[in-house]
Amino acid sequence: MISRRTGLAATAAALLTGASGPVAAATAPHRRLPGPRNRLQSDVDAVLATGATGVLAEVQSARGRTTARAGAAGLRTPDRPVPWDASYRIGSDTKTFTATLALQLVGEGRLALTDTVERWLPGAVRGNGNDGRRITVADLLRQTSGLNDHLAVSPDAADAFTPDGYRRSRFRTTAPEDQLRAALSKPPLWLPDPGRPAGERRWGYSNTNYVVAGLIIEEVTGNPWAQEIHDRIIEPLGLRHTFTPGTSPYLPHPTATAYTWFPGCAEPTDTTLASGGGADGSVVSTTHDHGVFLRALMSGRLLRPAQLAAMKETVVAEDWSAAPGVRYGLGIAWRPVAGSRGGIWFHGGTHLGIVSESGVTPDGARAATSATFSLRMGDPAQDAQDLATLRLVDRALTA
């Protein structure tokens, strides 16, 4: 799971980077609209031109949906295009799902944003200056807790981001308790002010925040986080191609090969097989399903008005490098976009070999989602790919 920070160290640190009743599926008819289709195809081609192997994108609204693709399903099958509705790991876009779950529980009165970690997980966040009594649920969801990213401090981090390290670890999973233990092995970056539980403005992206949020959701509900995702979001929205894979490293077909250029490697590694992540970044989806979720969220079909408003209360995300002016809310971010009314909401996620970039208008009327099946770690070419996908989303939502 990745935030939009630059540099190999940041990449390694961030990578593995209540509902008011039943929710109707938000599926719109598939219409081929010549103007938008040509524009989207041009933008998908521009992403491919940065050196990506395959790209898939969709724009959806009440009028219908427009799709485009470019590139091949794999380097060994250059004549086979990226499949429509390809499954892929959405990485840190999972965090928006997790934050939605937590806010549903807040709306039901079962959880409060001002609750401390200590209340729900007594003694779990202690040691080396870490203190769960000083961290609220809001701090976790807004990335203002000061907790270290468990990947950044893991002793295996450097080895994991090599071809051999990937192959050794692709079938391994790490329990959230072990991830938390790794994060607590170092002093926190800061401790929130206990006298201002809702006022912390220091921001630092950390997957650990959502590992802890997932544990709290399980404590509140008595159910696995994955079950809550399914019962509260996936099934009500009819997201038939969205799921949590658990310990399985496999993706269902159709999909495309996910390629990672590890640091210092001239040739890509097929990283399609991969395991790891939970509430911080494990969801598998499609461009269509992801767009349905984003539209349902922003249009108020998943959260009550007070909780959706709380989700949109943001702090400055100073090191979100790919887009200026980013502010981070509860599991979702906002950025200004020229030509838009009120900017756009987004998150973004990266898993080995996959970059998910998306956005949605503030009212949920329009969403754009994309999957690029290439990741170049520590390479300037990745910056060009990221900028091209951001441009794709911005143009799709401001046309």
Side-chain angles (χ1 to χ4, degrees), residues 4 29 32 39 57-58 75-76 90 116 199 216 260 305 335 361 364 372 389:
R4 291 299 182 256
R32 296 287 187 178
R39 181 170 54 250
E58 177 168 321
L75 294 176
R76 295 183 179 180
I90 67 172
T116 63
I216 289 175
T260 299
R335 71 174 183 265
T361 56
T372 305
T389 52

Side-chain angles (χ1 to χ4, degrees), residues 138-145 190 196-205 209 309-320 324-336 345-346:
D139 287 324
L140 298 174
L141 301 182
R142 197 174 281 122
Q143 306 273 15
T144 56
S145 73
W190 66 82
R196 302 174 65 238
E200 183 58 60
R201 291 295 180 265
R202 288 170 291 184
W203 185 87
Y205 194 91
N209 287 320
M311 176 176 265
K312 294 182 176 182
E313 294 178 6
T314 61
V315 296
V316 174
E318 293 182 349
D319 63 350
W320 202 294
V326 173
R327 299 183 65 89
Y328 200 91
L330 302 181
I332 199 164
W334 176 91
R335 71 174 183 265
W345 291 93
F346 73 107

Side-chain angles (χ1 to χ4, degrees), residues 64-264:
R65 62 185 178 119
T66 303
T67 56
R69 63 182 177 180
L75 294 176
R76 295 183 179 180
T77 54
D79 296 329
R80 186 162 63 89
V82 174
W84 299 114
D85 296 322
S87 293
Y88 60 97
R89 298 178 180 88
I90 67 172
S92 282
D93 276 316
T94 299
K95 291 178 172 65
T96 311
F97 284 74
T98 298
T100 300
L101 287 183
L103 286 166
Q104 287 180 347
L105 295 172
V106 170
E108 295 165 8
R110 302 171 66 185
L111 182 66
L113 291 174
T114 55
D115 285 350
T116 63
V117 172
E118 182 72 12
R119 174 175 178 179
W120 292 103
L121 304 173
V125 177
R126 295 287 183 88
N128 293 311
N130 295 281
D131 190 347
R133 297 169 297 183
R134 299 271 296 268
I135 299 170
T136 66
V137 172
D139 287 324
L140 298 174
L141 301 182
R142 197 174 281 122
Q143 306 273 15
T144 56
S145 73
L147 288 172
N148 281 287
D149 192 312
H150 63 88
L151 290 169
V153 298
S154 169
D156 301 324
D159 179 67
F161 297 103
T162 65
D164 289 343
Y166 155 73
R167 294 186 184 98
R168 283 192 293 269
S169 64
R170 57 186 168 170
F171 290 94
R172 298 176 187 169
T173 57
T174 305
E177 293 82 1
D178 292 331
Q179 293 171 333
L180 178 56
R181 190 175 300 110
L184 299 178
S185 68
K186 302 291 183 180
L189 301 175
W190 66 82
L191 282 173
D193 183 351
R196 302 174 65 238
E200 183 58 60
R201 291 295 180 265
R202 288 170 291 184
W203 185 87
Y205 194 91
S206 173
N207 288 296
T208 307
N209 287 320
Y210 278 78
V211 171
V212 178
L215 291 171
I216 289 175
I217 288 169
E218 293 184 345
E219 188 67 24
V220 173
T221 64
N223 296 320
W225 166 84
Q227 180 178 334
E228 292 295 317
I229 283 279
H230 178 86
D231 292 349
R232 290 173 172 269
I233 297 176
I234 294 174
E235 185 172 7
L237 286 180
L239 306 182
R240 300 187 181 279
H241 303 288
T242 300
F243 66 98
T244 55
T247 60
S248 174
Y250 296 98
L251 286 173
H253 288 279
T255 190
T257 304
Y259 292 103
T260 299
W261 279 257
F262 287 103

